[in-house]
Amino acid sequence: MKKIAVLGSTGSIGTQTLDVVRANGDIQVAAIAAGSNIKMLEAQIREFAPSVCGVWDEDKAKELAGNVSDTNTKIVSGMDGLMEIAEMDGYEILVTAVVGMIGIRPTIAAIKAGKDIALANKETLVTAGHLIMPLVKEHGVRLLPVDSEHSAIFQCLNGEHGNKIDKILLTASGGPFRGWTREQMKSVKLEDALKHPNWSMGRKITIDSSTMVNKGLEVMEAKWLFDVEMDDVQVVVQPKSIIHSMVQFEDGAVMAQLGTPDMKLPIQYALYYPERRPMGGDRLDFWAMKEITFDKPDFENFRGLALAYEAGKAGGSVPVVFNAANEMAVAKFLNREISYLEITDIIEASMRNHKKRENPTLEEILQAEQETYEFIKGDWGK
Ligand code: NDP
Ligand code: MG
């Protein structure tokens, strides 16, 4: 019996992870955690009987503890709770499906405790990849990508026995505003940005996909996961999300992984790697599909992608600022406090304001995050 813990069990990736658990029937869920959705957590506790459940919000944690006092699940809260789950015995794979930099500390703690990581929480690797990758090596654990593009790249590298990657071709749908100018994007409403053409995901990543900041985060994620330079990752727009990404080798051969847009495949692949399990759902129908089209990304109108390359190449604390600024700007946009284009304006202003630190420690990463939030709260130099 495989045993897992899921941080972010009530979210898009978290619930799909539990769908995979349900469909397979041979995985035990040792722990779950979420922010505040205690109604769903209670249902998950009753279905999966985890030994520990974390709730970020302390009051909600108390309320949940009262509601499930008839079960054997221990309720923990806050960062201490996430850390307790990361370090506890009784499971092998931690699925990191929380959203944002909140995932850094538990991910590091779990690696140190010898857990394999099924990584959905890309913000953690983008901001702390220089700390995480050496730890993964040192503790001999696996870092298994859940992000569909990175799972595709990981699958393309199967059987390559360390053959050098010449180039990663990271596919992008281009989002709902593909082909738009910034002038046209001025009037984008929250509701428009929350409509992704191919994938149904959490709110933050859906906005990130529309600005192409998500693709920028993914280029940085690929840099760490596959030990390549930013310029070795080429973003290729492929609007239908059929090719999930490709790898070009030194002899010019290109390997690709294709499939319908369904996150359950990369989730299941990460949980059972290297085994493939049967999975229901639609199959690609190449006769019906007829064509797959490709394009170059528009770096001018999608500033977020250009800024991500800049941040990734600068390294040090700059990706932290890029990511933290985006997290706060997207939260503000979701709250209808700023306009759509201000998301990338805030990222840019934060990067320009920042004095880079090389090789930031965990404390320095969290400090750069706070400084970025303070800068944005102080009207971000407007
Ligand atoms: P969601 O917003 O759907 O879910 C986020 C989850 O994190 C929820 O369970 C939420 O709990 C929990 N959470 C939020 N804050 C905290 C906190 N402080 N402590 C503990 N738990 C918390 O996000 P997604 O599932 O879409 O994304 C999760 C991660 O996976 C992101 O990093 C994203 O970039 C990545 N990813 C997502 C994909 C997708 O298809 N959705 C694809 C590829 C990557 P609550 O419900 O209580 O708020
Ligand atoms: Mg992705």
Side-chain angles (χ1 to χ4, degrees):
M1 194 92 169
K2 226 176 243 297
K3 299 188 189 78
I4 66 168
V6 187
L7 302 185
S9 63
T10 58
S12 164
I13 294 291
T15 52
Q16 292 182 86
T17 301
L18 296 177
D19 287 343
V20 169
V21 169
R22 224 176 260 124
N24 281 279
D26 60 353
I27 297 178
Q28 190 181 323
V29 182
I32 54 175
S36 60
N37 185 352
I38 56 172
K39 208 165 159 218
M40 196 185 288
L41 283 175
E42 178 174 350
Q44 292 177 349
I45 288 172
R46 298 201 181 278
E47 180 176 0
F48 296 100
S51 47
V52 183
C53 169
V55 189
W56 181 261
D57 182 304
E58 250 173 64
D59 293 335
K60 296 268 182 194
K62 280 190 196 126
E63 194 180 332
L64 179 63
N67 296 348
V68 298
S69 58
D70 59 318
T71 70
N72 293 322
T73 302
K74 175 182 167 191
I75 308 298
V76 295
S77 71
M79 182 51 77
D80 289 348
L82 294 180
M83 295 297 273
E84 181 172 335
I85 291 173
E87 291 165 349
M88 72 184 231
D89 291 335
Y91 78 96
E92 304 103 36
I93 306 178
L94 179 70
V95 181
T96 61
V98 288
V99 59
M101 291 173 70
I102 197 87
I104 298 177
R105 291 185 56 206
T107 304
I108 288 178
I111 295 169
K112 287 183 175 167
K115 314 292 184 188
D116 290 334
I117 307 290
L119 181 110
N121 178 223
K122 64 191 87 180
E123 296 92 341
T124 281
L125 204 57
V126 165
T127 53
H130 61 290
L131 303 179
I132 287 172
M133 297 315 292
L135 280 177
V136 165
K137 243 195 200 142
E138 184 187 334
H139 293 272
V141 300
R142 283 170 165 166
L143 189 51
L144 302 151
V146 168
D147 210 345
S148 59
E149 294 79 359
H150 304 75
S151 174
I153 296 161
F154 189 65
Q155 293 177 57
C156 291
L157 293 173
N158 270 337
E160 287 296 338
H161 308 290
N163 278 325
K164 191 170 173 295
I165 295 172
D166 184 42
K167 195 193 262 183
I168 286 176
L169 300 153
L170 190 77
T171 52
S173 73
F177 311 128
R178 182 172 50 89
W180 288 33
T181 61
R182 273 177 82 82
E183 190 55 38
Q184 286 170 299
M185 286 185 232
K186 267 187 182 162
S187 55
V188 165
K189 301 254 170 330
L190 177 58
E191 292 68 25
D192 309 324
L194 281 174
K195 277 184 215 136
H196 194 276
N198 307 328
W199 299 93
S200 155
M201 309 177 285
R203 284 157 66 87
K204 191 243 173 196
I205 187 177
T206 303
I207 302 299
D208 288 353
S209 299
S210 78
T211 56
M212 289 197 80
V213 162
N214 179 54
K215 208 48 58 181
L217 294 172
E218 290 185 353
V219 175
M220 293 188 253
E221 184 185 9
K223 169 187 128 126
W224 289 116
L225 279 172
F226 306 111
D227 194 20
V228 295
E229 299 297 326
M230 291 293 290
D231 280 334
D232 296 333
V233 186
Q234 184 179 51
V235 174
V236 178
V237 176
Q238 195 267 280
K240 291 228 155 70
S241 306
I242 291 162
I243 300 178
H244 296 312
S245 277
M246 305 177 266
V247 177
Q248 180 177 302
F249 293 95
E250 287 183 300
D251 59 358
V254 175
M255 302 294 286
Q257 188 255 332
L258 288 70
T260 52
D262 183 350
M263 286 309 296
K264 287 202 277 295
L265 191 152
I267 293 169
Q268 176 168 287
Y269 192 74
L271 295 183
Y272 286 98
Y273 174 79
E275 188 188 349
R276 285 193 188 274
R277 285 282 179 107
M279 178 169 273
D282 294 340
R283 296 292 185 258
L284 288 180
D285 178 349
F286 288 84
W287 289 357
M289 181 189 329
K290 292 199 172 65
E291 62 173 17
I292 305 177
T293 62
F294 303 99
D295 211 341
K296 191 181 161 188
D298 176 353
F299 289 97
E300 245 167 65
N301 289 297
F302 290 85
R303 288 286 303 145
L305 185 56
L307 289 166
Y309 268 94
E310 190 186 318
K313 284 184 199 176
S317 54
V318 183
V320 178
V321 176
F322 174 89
N323 181 73
N326 180 59
E327 285 191 25
M328 182 166 258
V330 170
K332 281 180 175 293
F333 179 67
L334 286 170
N335 251 343
R336 301 182 193 273
E337 287 170 34
I338 59 166
S339 71
Y340 184 68
L341 286 179
E342 281 179 308
I343 298 174
T344 41
D345 292 346
I346 286 177
I347 298 174
E348 181 152 18
S350 302
M351 281 170 64
R352 302 288 168 256
N353 175 62
H354 178 67
K355 248 186 112 217
K356 174 177 151 186
R357 255 163 268 163
E358 293 292 354
N359 266 319
T361 61
L362 177 57
E363 289 66 36
E364 286 168 339
I365 289 171
L366 301 177
Q367 196 186 331
E369 178 192 24
Q370 282 316 314
E371 284 168 10
T372 305
Y373 294 159
E374 292 307 319
F375 172 69
I376 299 169
K377 279 185 205 148
D379 264 3
W380 49 283
K382 264 211 300 196

